[in-house]
Amino acid sequence: MQNKIKKSYRFAFKTSLYITIFITLFMSVFLYFFFTLKVLPVIGFGLYCFAFSFIVIQFRVERFIYKRVKKIYDDLTLLESTSFSRGPITTNMATLTEEIDKFARNKKLEIETLKVREQYRKEFLGNVSHELKTPLFTIQGYILTLLDGAMDNKIIREKYLKRASEGVERLSFIVNDLDMITKLEVGDLRLEMEDFDIVELVKNVFDTVEMRAHKKKITLTLDMNYNAPIMVRADKERIQQVLANLVINSIKYGSEKGTTEVSIENLIKNKVIVRVTDNGEGLDAKHLPRLFERFYRVDQSGSRKVGGSGLGLSIVKHIIEAHNEKIYVESEYDVGSEFSFTLEKAE
């Protein structure tokens, strides 16, 4: 126990005093009526009675209490037995009460944390099962149909094989993304830090997703013309993955003929903040705290209107945190969303 239990004499003193007064008065009345009452013997008896009572209460009763209090501590595994003072503990139970209250609060917090983790585990396993099961059943359905005779029809054969291939690709995305998150969490994925121009990287990402944006007639743009490079220090490949995930996400959930805008601003002396803003569907505030969880669905029905592994935002969060940086999200339903993250400037 951190605070050494102090020895208290107050309880023994008061109790001994009460016992002495009662017995001395009783004996005085008895001597007065049946024998001769003498003051000095009565005083001497009172002092002897007080001393005897004090010793018994202080060193015997408290020892009795100490053993049981110590057993409570041992049973609760609150403290190591060697942390107790070998002497009698105080009869004031405030210390014990404080420690038990602390123990109870800690255990309550642990139980609540375990319940949250258990719920998260159930949701995670259910989501993994759903994400893997859907493409597996799709692939199985197409293959069984082909085996039942549809492969003789060239048009159907090519169509079903293509769809089965898309299902395999979806499975590959999920497995690869899960593998990356696992590596990020356990620290097995090493970051290759280098200096690079974040403006140029954004333009490269725009080039790679241009066809996706064109299908929905979404305009990809920077908030201004950046005439000079903005050098940052990070893992270029991973930050490109972050930007690609955020931009693709804005395209998936963006409005037809909408806009996805990227801006880069100085935050503090050695930091910049990169913002990815769209005018798409937006989200209710209740979804924001869980948005970066694996497989978390804004649509609680379980259906997925758009493709992807459902792990993109979780990967983004892990990559940014692996850089010891922060990621933020602001969103308003029917207005749009803004994802932003910080990066360290290159020296």
Side-chain angles (χ1 to χ4, degrees):
M1 186 165 60
Q2 298 296 326
N3 298 324
K4 186 177 180 180
I5 299 178
K6 295 182 179 180
K7 194 173 181 180
S8 173
Y9 298 97
R10 182 179 299 176
F11 176 80
F13 181 84
K14 288 185 176 180
T15 306
S16 300
L17 185 61
Y18 296 151
I19 293 173
T20 300
I21 291 172
F22 175 77
I23 294 178
T24 302
L25 286 175
F26 179 80
M27 189 189 73
S28 299
V29 173
F30 180 79
L31 292 175
Y32 179 79
F33 285 104
F34 298 99
F35 299 95
T36 302
L37 178 62
K38 295 182 179 180
V39 177
L40 289 178
V42 171
I43 294 174
F45 175 81
L47 293 174
Y48 173 80
C49 181
F50 177 82
F52 179 78
S53 300
F54 182 85
I55 292 172
V56 169
I57 294 170
Q58 183 67 30
F59 295 99
R60 296 302 303 168
V61 175
E62 282 199 347
R63 283 245 180 223
F64 177 81
I65 296 173
Y66 165 78
K67 290 179 180 179
R68 280 145 185 80
V69 169
K70 182 178 182 299
K71 189 175 185 306
I72 293 174
Y73 277 112
D74 291 342
D75 290 344
L76 294 176
T77 62
L78 193 61
L79 301 169
E80 296 289 340
S81 58
T82 54
S83 68
F84 268 97
S85 170
R86 293 299 180 185
I89 71 164
T90 176
T91 50
N92 184 352
M93 303 302 286
T95 303
L96 175 62
T97 303
E98 181 181 348
E99 290 296 333
I100 291 179
D101 286 344
K102 180 181 177 181
F103 173 84
R105 287 194 301 270
N106 290 340
K107 287 301 177 185
K108 183 179 179 181
L109 181 61
E110 288 179 15
I111 291 170
E112 290 175 351
T113 303
L114 287 173
K115 286 181 178 179
V116 171
R117 289 180 179 176
E118 176 65 14
Q119 182 63 29
Y120 175 77
R121 184 187 67 82
K122 290 179 180 178
E123 290 181 3
F124 173 69
L125 291 176
N127 286 326
V128 170
S129 174
H130 174 79
E131 294 294 335
L132 295 177
K133 181 173 60 177
T134 302
L136 279 173
F137 284 174
T138 301
I139 296 167
Q140 185 183 41
Y142 289 136
I143 292 175
L144 289 175
T145 302
L146 290 172
L147 290 175
D148 287 340
M151 68 173 63
D152 296 333
N153 186 316
K154 183 179 178 181
I155 297 176
I156 294 177
R157 182 174 66 238
E158 290 181 357
K159 179 180 179 182
Y160 280 17
L161 286 175
K162 183 179 179 181
R163 290 183 178 178
S165 177
E166 291 174 353
V168 172
E169 187 177 359
R170 172 80 180 278
L171 282 175
S172 178
F173 282 150
I174 295 172
V175 172
N176 288 336
D177 286 350
L178 279 172
D179 181 59
M180 176 169 289
I181 288 179
T182 302
K183 288 180 178 179
L184 285 166
E185 287 182 342
V186 301
D188 286 346
L189 190 64
R190 293 186 178 182
L191 299 177
E192 300 294 334
M193 306 298 283
E194 60 179 298
D195 297 344
F196 60 91
D197 181 10
I198 187 66
V199 178
E200 181 184 356
L201 189 66
V202 172
K203 292 177 180 178
N204 290 340
V205 170
F206 282 172
D207 290 340
T208 59
V209 301
E210 184 178 5
M211 293 302 297
R212 289 173 181 255
H214 181 71
K215 288 180 180 179
K216 293 188 68 173
K217 299 179 181 179
I218 290 177
T219 303
L220 303 176
T221 181
L222 287 163
D223 66 319
M224 58 179 286
N225 290 325
Y226 292 90
N227 298 319
I230 299 177
M231 303 301 293
V232 297
R233 183 163 183 78
D235 186 318
K236 185 177 181 179
E237 182 180 348
R238 300 305 172 195
I239 297 303
Q240 182 170 349
Q241 187 176 6
V242 167
L243 284 168
N245 272 326
L246 293 179
V247 173
I248 289 172
N249 211 52
S250 71
I251 294 171
K252 286 178 183 177
Y253 300 99
S255 302
E256 287 280 342
K257 300 180 181 180
T259 302
T260 294
E261 180 183 89
V262 177
S263 63
I264 306 157
E265 304 172 15
N266 289 319
L267 189 61
I268 54 177
K269 183 178 180 180
N270 64 331
K271 297 283 185 182
V272 296
I273 186 166
V274 182
R275 305 181 192 274
V276 180
T277 309
D278 65 66
N279 55 357
E281 300 176 10
L283 299 167
D284 288 331
K286 65 180 181 180
H287 296 297
L288 299 184
R290 301 189 61 189
L291 198 58
F292 294 101
E293 291 182 13
R294 304 177 190 178
F295 300 115
Y296 178 72
R297 296 177 182 277
V298 174
D299 180 10
Q300 298 298 328
S301 66
S303 62
R304 188 179 290 279
K305 298 177 183 178
V306 294
S309 67
L311 297 166
L313 288 179
S314 183
I315 290 174
V316 165
K317 180 175 182 289
H318 280 85
I319 291 175
I320 295 300
E321 289 181 348
H323 283 79
N324 294 319
E325 300 293 344
K326 301 290 185 182
I327 185 165
Y328 310 94
V329 58
E330 295 180 11
S331 188
E332 186 175 346
Y333 189 69
D334 277 342
V335 175
S337 303
E338 178 183 280
F339 290 85
S340 57
F341 59 92
T342 59
L343 288 175
E344 183 181 352
K345 287 183 181 179
E347 295 181 358

